[in-house]
Amino acid sequence: MTDVKHMKWWGWGNEGTAFHHEDKPGFAPFVVDAVGLDLRTATKATEPDFAELDVPKSIATATFTKSLAAIVGADNVSTDDMVRVIHTYGKSLRDLVRIRNNWIERSPDVVVYPADEAEVLAVVQAAVKANAVIIPFGGGSNIAGSLEPLPTEKRTVVSLDLGRLRLVTSIDEESGLAVIQAGAQGPDLEEQLNAKGWTIGHFPDSFTHSTVGGWVATRSSGMQSDKYGDIADIARGLRVARPDGMLVLRPLPSTSSGPSVREMILGSEGRLGVITEVTVQVHRVPAQRDVYAYFFPNWEAGIAAMQAISESDAAPSITRISDGRETGFSLATSKDRKGLDKFMAGTALPKIMEMKWGKDLSNICLSFIGYEGTKAHADHQRKLVEKIIRDHDGITFVGTGPGILYDQKKFDTPYLRDFLLDMGAAGDVSETAAPWSKINQVHDAAYAAAQGAYDEIGIKGWIMSHMSHSYHSGACLYFTFAFVFKNDPIAEYNIVKNAIQQSFVDNGATISHHHGVGVEHSPWLEDDISTEGVVVMNALFTGADPGQNFNPGKVTAAVGMEKSAGAAGRLGGTKNTSPTPVAKKAPVAKKAPVKKAPAATK
Ligand SMILES: Cc1cc2nc3c(=O)[nH]c(=O)nc-3n(C[C@H](O)[C@H](O)[C@H](O)COP(=O)(O)OP(=O)(O)OC[C@H]3O[C@@H](n4cnc5c(N)ncnc54)[C@H](O)[C@@H]3O)c2cc1C
């Protein structure tokens, strides 16, 4: 059996790791206040039981499976139910609800783990020859519905797992370019780079369970993008396995050789072939890396400061500011008498804030700014930034304590979603990017849209936001929303998520800054890039893959399958959906919220 490790089949991350709130005294009161869920009395669902799943039968023929085994070895081909289920979905809230509720209409029929590029190419060629569908699988962490086979798919579906390709194969030290196999996950590649004194500088919150190939295929962005760039900047060279051979893009600093094929592969979500290798620009591990915390009296002052920083000579590695609500959440999830809580409760900070900003501190905003490089460089950047912060009425003496804690717990936060689902509640995200001139408008519109959706369902819901990833002309806004399910988790989730997404395009923002399109965001693609933009994109996909063998239905609907449920509508693609349950296999009725995720408040 292959040694490739996967996340839990029903949730985020490693077996045995979970979110706990017992050491965070402010958390339970915060949750009651935000969504009306009382954690003291709520019933926690038991862990889902794999034996209860109805896994669709594999339709892979013995002949086809043998042909794959001839390429990669019998140990690296699997039609096992658990393995196929693990490769069915990513980790969006919808994915987690569906998997907990025995809602699997179509799974890959066979999972294959090639060892190297030659084997990937041979698998691609064998699969296309057999007119099978190929879905490349990295870490399985996407949250846009980028992996699931179309429910209407009649052909054999192959999940091509890159997990055995995880080496940094070479580093051009003179140019700062590292060649990395596509299946390398964040910790794999960063350890190998660090051992030689280098870093990729790409740290998405999913870093621990996502791959460099997946980052490229979804146009990912990491929290230090202000310094290192998004993956679209970092990835310079690419190798992609296609039916007629390897597509090879050499790592060039820049080129004017026509429309960028590199940019076409970026964000293609497996529709143009299988990325086998990425050459990334790397940097020397910085001598100094600090994350400082700052406070602002309100969101408008904080955003104005972030914009001023982006326009200034300062070059921080992280610029991030939470709005008042997210600041409240951060304070509530602090461990007892440590970090932020200590600053707020155990020091004179609130008194100083009151003297500076008045008694009402409910709108204060917490900001984290990162500085990296030589000590002299980092210190100089900090001086430039702190002057701007003071000019915008901010407080600059909080120091690095909260930043250290933020750094430590950032990879634990994803476990919170599973905890909330266990309690019968949704917690999920929507993110976007907009020009500076529209940032406040987009922020307020998303809040209003979420509230409208909660009113429509008739529930008390929560939304909070932060700005991160600054650019010269704008920034990313990231929204987290939560609510207790009322009747139908998927239908209710659709109402909230759709309302927020719609508010983005209605207010001049994009459908996604870094989560990609998949099937979840594709209904808004036309609003985002225009009808003619979609025509060009479809021409690219159908021209490069006339048989629609590569992950059909992602980003744009598969031709001839536009109305297919998986491509857009049933799982939330339809804009302005009504709360009418749309599921053939309605999750609530069947299993979970009753057994696994009870309404939980009483
Ligand atoms: C809790 C959480 C936090 C997250 N935080 C961030 C964040 O901070 N920043 C961010 O950018 N994203 C974030 N994400 C989203 C997700 O991690 C990214 O989309 C990531 O880039 C997906 O990588 P993966 O290796 O897991 O790809 P997968 O989920 O396995 O695949 C995603 C898509 O890429 C395709 N693909 C994967 N590998 C290849 C390949 N080798 N060749 C061709 N196509 C391929 C797949 O077919 C699929 O369409 C987060 C997700 C979660 C659940």
Side-chain angles (χ1 to χ4, degrees), residues 12 90-91 135-143 146-147 162 182 202-206 209-215 217-222 269-270 273-276 414 417 478 514-515 551 554:
W12 179 258
K91 297 294 177 190
I135 304 183
F137 186 97
S141 73
N142 78 85
I143 49 177
S146 308
L147 283 171
L162 280 298
H202 184 74
F203 301 104
D205 291 357
S206 56
H209 294 90
S210 55
T211 64
V212 66
W215 298 338
T218 57
R219 292 193 79 110
S220 162
S221 184
E269 300 189 19
V274 182
I275 302 160
T276 56
R417 278 186 321 164
Y478 189 101
H514 58 256
H515 287 157
N551 205 8
K554 312 303 153 36

